[in-house]
Amino acid sequence: MYDQSSFANPTPLAHADTSRDVLSRGDGDRFNSCQVIYSQFGLAIHQNDHQARRRFVEWAQNEIAVVPYFHKRILFSDEAHFWLNCYVNKQNCRIWSEANPQVYVETPLHPEKLTVCCALWAGGIIGPYFFKNDEGHNVTVNGDRYRAMITNFLIPELNNHDVQELWFQQDGATCHTARATIDLLKDTFGDRLISRFGPVNWPPRSCDLTPLDYFLWGYVKSLVYADKPQTLEHLEDNILRVIADIRPQMLEKVIENWTSRLDYIQASRGSRMPEIILKM
């Protein structure tokens, strides 16, 4: 079991959705010699990604310079799969290593899983929301289901919070960026939308800047399988319990860590770390 205080301050640019950071704080001297190994199938690192990330960092730091608590007004969102047999989704697995680690992941033939959505900000966690159809069966997310989640769950939940000028962030998944989805989010948040095709562009392949990726999913998955749940109902109960038990102080540290990650990207402006792609 992880110590909550240490887990809330992971190493900048750490991986997402795995149970621990590969680099410790004492590995800073090694960092520049490391190659970043992406284990997402078919992931391509584009040259423009660096520029997009830096533009976003400059925008965010300028906003923080004007409003020092700006980062505490961003509602970060994401989905994750929770597999009943503890299988870890390789899509969200990032590994830092000096060489190709030759990682192999076994894929279950008929996996049982929950698809879960959460939104995290300095004020707490909204969710989890479990994607299910009208019959109550667990399903994966698509555009229609994502918009239904926003309309029937997210917006009513926001009405229960005393939130002013809240920003909403999402990654570039297709269900997030369909025209109908962007229009729906603009109706709710106006120009305070951070997304591909949104008023503020979210840089692609930036899981290191999403608190759900660099903290929440890995932390929750490190705990929900402790008693080896045998049913999806048991797994769902564990997810609800673990997320409900996360302390506000922990979330504050997670959000403060986000600004440190901005600083790290800005400080490494002149460096180009080599990337290699690990297709699995």
Side-chain angles (χ1 to χ4, degrees):
M1 183 176 296
Y2 291 101
D3 174 70
Q4 289 197 9
S5 61
S6 62
F7 205 99
N9 292 283
T11 304
L13 301 181
H15 70 279
D17 201 24
T18 50
S19 61
R20 64 185 179 90
D21 289 325
V22 178
L23 287 180
S24 66
R25 290 191 181 91
D27 288 328
D29 294 338
R30 283 182 57 223
F31 188 81
N32 289 331
S33 66
C34 287
Q35 294 173 313
V36 58
I37 312 291
Y38 287 92
S39 64
Q40 181 174 345
F41 179 79
L43 179 68
I45 306 301
H46 304 292
Q47 184 175 2
N48 291 338
D49 287 353
H50 300 279
Q51 298 175 0
R53 283 162 60 83
R54 289 167 183 161
R55 283 195 297 268
F56 175 78
V57 167
E58 290 174 357
W59 170 83
Q61 289 183 325
N62 288 337
E63 293 293 327
I64 293 172
V66 175
V67 181
Y69 53 87
F70 172 77
H71 55 293
K72 297 182 179 181
R73 290 163 39 181
I74 302 176
L75 187 65
F76 297 93
S77 68
D78 195 21
E79 300 92 36
H81 296 313
F82 285 75
W83 306 78
L84 185 58
N85 61 354
C86 306
Y87 166 71
V88 176
N89 183 10
K90 65 188 178 185
Q91 177 177 349
N92 292 328
C93 180
R94 311 303 198 267
I95 300 173
W96 291 102
S97 176
E98 293 176 337
N100 189 325
Q102 301 296 338
V103 175
Y104 296 91
V105 177
E106 293 184 0
T107 303
L109 182 61
H110 300 292
E112 289 188 282
K113 65 179 182 294
L114 300 173
T115 301
V116 184
C117 181
C118 282
L120 182 156
W121 64 300
I125 296 176
I126 296 178
Y129 175 89
F130 298 90
F131 285 93
K132 300 184 180 184
N133 60 20
D134 293 339
E135 290 73 38
H137 299 146
N138 296 293
V139 294
T140 56
V141 61
N142 59 26
D144 289 338
R145 293 166 184 161
Y146 186 69
R147 288 187 289 275
M149 181 275 297
I150 293 171
T151 301
N152 301 326
F153 175 75
L154 178 64
I155 293 175
E157 284 293 317
L158 289 177
N159 292 334
N160 296 328
H161 291 76
D162 184 16
V163 178
Q164 296 181 354
E165 301 298 314
L166 189 68
W167 289 70
F168 183 80
Q169 178 274 339
Q170 63 176 6
D171 64 25
T174 303
C175 61
H176 297 173
T177 57
R179 184 185 296 266
T181 305
I182 295 295
D183 289 343
L184 174 60
L185 289 170
K186 284 183 178 179
D187 288 341
T188 303
F189 296 97
D191 290 336
R192 303 186 308 278
L193 173 62
I194 304 171
S195 170
R196 184 185 180 195
F197 304 138
V200 176
N201 184 59
W202 177 253
R205 288 161 287 277
S206 293
C207 64
D208 55 297
L209 291 177
T210 310
L212 293 96
D213 274 332
Y214 69 72
F215 159 68
L216 184 67
W217 299 135
Y219 176 74
V220 173
K221 289 184 179 183
S222 74
L223 299 176
V224 297
Y225 297 110
D227 59 355
K228 297 180 173 57
Q230 299 299 308
T231 66
L232 291 177
E233 291 76 13
H234 187 178
L235 178 59
E236 181 174 328
D237 289 342
N238 283 1
I239 294 170
L240 288 165
R241 173 179 50 80
V242 170
I243 290 178
D245 287 344
I246 294 176
R247 300 193 304 265
Q249 297 87 342
M250 192 176 188
L251 296 179
E252 292 176 5
K253 292 181 180 180
V254 169
I255 296 301
E256 289 302 327
N257 180 267
W258 188 74
T259 63
S260 299
R261 290 164 181 264
L262 299 179
D263 294 339
Y264 186 91
I265 294 174
Q266 184 68 14
S268 61
R269 185 180 183 87
S271 64
R272 291 292 297 273
M273 194 166 61
E275 295 101 355
I276 64 175
I277 302 171
L278 176 61
K279 293 187 178 181
M280 302 173 59

